[in-house]
Amino acid sequence: MLKYVEIAEKIEQYIIDKDLKQGTKLPKFNDLIKQYGVSKSTIVNALNILEKSGIIYQIQGSGIFVRRNQRIGYVNLIENQGFTTDLDEFVITSKVLLLEKIIPSEEVRSNLECSKDELVYHVKRLRYINEQILCVEESYYNSTIVPYLNEEIAKESIFNYLKAALRLSVGFSDKYLHVIKLSEQDSQILELKKEDPALLTEELFYLSSGTPFDFSRTIYHYEHSQFFAQSNSLNI
Amino acid sequence: MLKYVEIAEKIEQYIIDKDLKQGTKLPKFNDLIKQYGVSKSTIVNALNILEKSGIIYQIQGSGIFVRRNQRIGYVNLIENQGFTTDLDEFVITSKVLLLEKIIPSEEVRSNLECSKDELVYHVKRLRYINEQILCVEESYYNSTIVPYLNEEIAKESIFNYLKAALRLSVGFSDKYLHVIKLSEQDSQILELKKEDPALLTEELFYLSSGTPFDFSRTIYHYEHSQFFAQSNSLNI
DNA sequence: GAGTGGTCTAGACCACCCT
DNA sequence: GGGTGGTCTAGACCACTCG
């Protein structure tokens, strides 16, 4: 475990344990250096992680402060680990509607940067939050990278399987969002009406090596989903 | 200008000028150190900015690679400087529907952390992208922080005014997103039909000092808006 | 095993906030 | 002016990738 990651986690835990609220001042820089017995840049790194994650903010010449304002029950648009980790306090379950290994379409090939010879897994799942319909998700996994997948796995968190069993490491992702009117077919799946509103997301996930491995299209139930995104000034 | 910011900008410019595509390998670490005549950590910082902004990705033991995959015409959910800077190649204009100085409502007071005595500016604008309706935005600015605002300013980019004229520095922001059916009133403003889909965002902007100064509620035209969010693995 | 990126240190100096 | 966070350096050592 890296020192700065470890320290970041300890500080986060400290904030949670003490239930510190927005604006509370944290111990000063030099105290943190002494407390953890590390050099200045290690603390800098730890604090930058926390700042980037929206847990603290730092003001030069003044101090380090708690930032903790999130509403709960919102899907984090900046996390990229699937929302099983995201919506901690909620029960996420899935029903597998389809799982097949197919020759990729033109669109999937261009997103996953693969050829017709490389088969892809096509998984369609209905996902529930606290037993309410959250979204319907259609995913394509490059089978060169994800050589095996079955219904048991798809019923649980596929990402956890990829990380734990296949030892894949997710590097980064791109998400594109559109608001749409539901088609007849999608409305039936989501138990809504045709032309009802919905959020359509297209996501492309890359390994740490820069290779795309998962292209997904998800349609969210507009009454059971909400989203958030935190921003920082750029130069962190 | 900070060295690492400057170097980050130069590298970004280099990528744009050479029109390098996704996956292109950049000069190696030691070359960058020599080229810019700085120490290792300065380069580390510069590269981390670029990684965080989704412009490159780094693979330990392998190299530094270009990441440039964005579709254009999407509103960036992670920027927090208003989208005048965001949608570079598009013409963003605004029509001011309302500008008044009022006693804040309960909701506005709790978001802006102010009292009844502190008046707020209430601005309602219809915003256009390439002369098409993009969104209707209702913003509340704490007048203790933003002491003056008029229609001329609101017709242009309010954020540019805050930064340039008032010398305010935006630190961070929280955004919450919901998909809704349009009300009669909003549908008329957006020239859509009642019950048409829309994205509703609530945003709270903070100064670098941690003080909230702008609470905004925006409703986007579903046919003229689309959004994107890039993610990275956490420990950057 | 050579090459490349990542972490960590110790310490100098700078920039900003507050009183 | 004293305190606090931010930048930068030089260099040691670690961890990963790839041929």
Side-chain angles (χ1 to χ4, degrees):
Chain A
M1 175 70 91
L2 298 174
K3 280 193 190 178
Y4 69 88
V5 174
E6 200 172 337
I7 292 171
E9 286 174 358
K10 279 182 182 162
I11 295 175
E12 181 174 6
Q13 200 53 51
Y14 172 85
I15 292 169
I16 294 168
D17 287 346
K18 296 249 175 182
D19 194 24
L20 303 180
K21 63 181 219 295
Q22 178 102 356
T24 307
K25 194 166 179 175
L26 290 173
K28 57 197 63 160
F29 225 108
N30 283 319
D31 294 351
L32 293 172
I33 291 174
K34 277 179 207 153
Q35 182 177 344
Y36 293 105
V38 295
S39 78
K40 189 161 180 173
S41 14
T42 305
I43 297 291
V44 168
N45 280 328
L47 295 177
N48 281 347
I49 291 182
L50 294 174
E51 183 153 10
K52 183 169 110 49
S53 317
I55 294 165
I56 62 163
Y57 56 96
Q58 301 177 74
I59 307 177
Q60 189 168 95
S62 176
I64 304 157
F65 303 87
V66 174
R67 176 179 178 196
R68 212 170 63 152
N69 224 17
Q70 298 170 25
R71 308 179 188 179
I72 62 167
Y74 283 70
V75 174
N76 188 340
L77 290 171
I78 295 166
E79 295 286 332
N80 62 357
Q81 310 296 311
F83 34 56
T84 311
T85 54
D86 218 64
L87 297 166
D88 266 356
E89 304 163 31
F90 297 81
V91 183
I92 305 288
T93 51
S94 305
K95 181 165 137 193
V96 180
L97 304 179
L98 186 69
L99 194 159
E100 55 179 2
K101 205 168 178 176
I102 58 168
I103 297 173
S105 69
E106 173 72 42
E107 182 194 28
V108 172
R109 287 206 305 279
S110 92
N111 277 295
L112 293 182
E113 295 170 18
C114 67
S115 71
K116 280 185 185 172
D117 305 330
E118 299 177 84
L119 296 182
V120 298
Y121 277 104
H122 174 208
V123 185
K124 188 165 180 175
R125 301 192 291 176
L126 194 52
R127 312 205 68 183
Y128 299 85
I129 178 163
N130 287 352
E131 305 189 351
Q132 286 190 314
I133 294 175
L134 176 63
C135 63
V136 55
E137 171 199 272
E138 209 158 347
S139 300
Y140 299 88
Y141 296 91
N142 187 336
S143 72
T144 313
I145 298 167
V146 182
Y148 183 71
L149 214 54
N150 67 22
E151 188 160 336
E152 290 313 304
I153 296 165
K155 264 170 71 178
E156 306 297 322
S157 163
I158 295 182
F159 267 59
N160 281 352
Y161 163 73
L162 299 180
K163 285 185 279 189
L166 300 185
R167 298 245 157 254
L168 297 179
S169 103
V170 181
F172 49 94
S173 67
D174 298 329
K175 312 192 193 200
Y176 299 93
L177 290 72
H178 302 257
V179 175
I180 59 166
K181 285 182 180 175
L182 283 175
S183 69
E184 179 69 41
Q185 194 195 341
D186 291 328
S187 69
Q188 282 173 15
I189 296 174
L190 293 174
E191 296 176 12
L192 286 168
K193 291 200 293 277
K194 183 166 188 281
E195 311 255 301
D196 268 350
L199 186 75
L200 165 68
T201 70
E202 291 183 342
E203 297 180 73
L204 193 50
F205 293 90
Y206 297 81
L207 298 178
S208 298
S209 64
T211 312
F213 70 98
D214 170 13
F215 173 64
S216 293
R217 185 177 282 123
T218 308
I219 299 176
Y220 286 87
H221 190 297
Y222 78 108
E223 287 170 325
H224 302 158
S225 65
Q226 39 196 12
F227 307 85
F228 81 93
Q230 284 182 313
S231 309
N232 289 299
S233 60
L234 281 174
N235 313 330
I236 296 179
Chain B
M1 175 72 91
L2 298 173
K3 279 194 190 178
Y4 68 89
V5 174
E6 200 172 337
I7 292 171
E9 285 174 359
K10 279 183 184 161
I11 294 174
E12 181 175 5
Q13 199 54 51
Y14 172 85
I15 293 170
I16 293 168
D17 288 346
K18 296 247 177 185
D19 195 24
L20 304 179
K21 63 182 219 289
Q22 177 103 355
T24 307
K25 193 166 182 177
L26 290 173
K28 57 197 63 160
F29 225 108
N30 283 320
D31 293 350
L32 293 172
I33 291 173
K34 278 178 209 153
Q35 183 176 343
Y36 294 104
V38 294
S39 78
K40 188 162 181 172
S41 13
T42 305
I43 296 292
V44 168
N45 280 327
L47 295 177
N48 281 346
I49 290 183
L50 294 173
E51 184 153 9
K52 184 168 111 49
S53 318
I55 294 166
I56 63 163
Y57 57 95
Q58 301 177 75
I59 307 175
Q60 189 167 96
S62 176
I64 304 157
F65 302 88
V66 173
R67 176 180 178 197
R68 212 170 66 151
N69 224 17
Q70 297 171 25
R71 308 180 189 177
I72 61 167
Y74 283 70
V75 174
N76 188 340
L77 290 171
I78 295 166
E79 295 286 334
N80 62 357
Q81 310 297 310
F83 34 57
T84 310
T85 53
D86 218 62
L87 298 165
D88 265 358
E89 304 163 32
F90 296 81
V91 182
I92 305 287
T93 50
S94 305
K95 181 165 137 194
V96 180
L97 304 179
L98 186 70
L99 194 159
E100 53 179 2
K101 205 167 178 177
I102 58 169
I103 297 174
S105 69
E106 173 71 41
E107 183 195 28
V108 172
R109 287 206 305 279
S110 93
N111 277 295
L112 294 182
E113 295 169 18
C114 67
S115 70
K116 279 186 185 171
D117 305 330
E118 299 177 84
L119 297 182
V120 299
Y121 277 104
H122 174 207
V123 185
K124 188 165 179 175
R125 300 191 292 177
L126 193 52
R127 311 204 69 181
Y128 298 86
I129 180 164
N130 287 351
E131 305 189 350
Q132 287 189 313
I133 293 175
L134 175 64
C135 62
V136 54
E137 172 200 272
E138 209 158 348
S139 301
Y140 300 87
Y141 296 91
N142 187 334
S143 71
T144 312
I145 298 167
V146 181
Y148 182 71
L149 214 55
N150 66 23
E151 189 161 334
E152 290 314 304
I153 297 165
K155 265 170 70 179
E156 306 297 323
S157 163
I158 294 182
F159 268 58
N160 281 352
Y161 163 73
L162 299 180
K163 284 184 279 189
L166 299 186
R167 296 246 159 252
L168 296 179
S169 104
V170 181
F172 49 93
S173 68
D174 298 331
K175 313 191 193 201
Y176 300 93
L177 289 72
H178 302 257
V179 174
I180 59 165
K181 284 183 182 174
L182 282 175
S183 68
E184 178 69 41
Q185 194 195 340
D186 291 327
S187 69
Q188 282 173 14
I189 296 174
L190 292 174
E191 296 176 11
L192 285 168
K193 291 199 294 274
K194 185 164 187 280
E195 311 254 300
D196 269 349
L199 186 74
L200 165 68
T201 70
E202 292 182 342
E203 297 180 73
L204 192 50
F205 293 90
Y206 297 80
L207 297 179
S208 299
S209 64
T211 312
F213 70 98
D214 170 13
F215 173 63
S216 294
R217 186 177 282 125
T218 308
I219 300 176
Y220 287 87
H221 190 298
Y222 78 108
E223 287 170 325
H224 302 158
S225 65
Q226 39 196 11
F227 307 86
F228 81 94
Q230 284 183 313
S231 309
N232 289 298
S233 60
L234 282 175
N235 314 331
I236 296 180

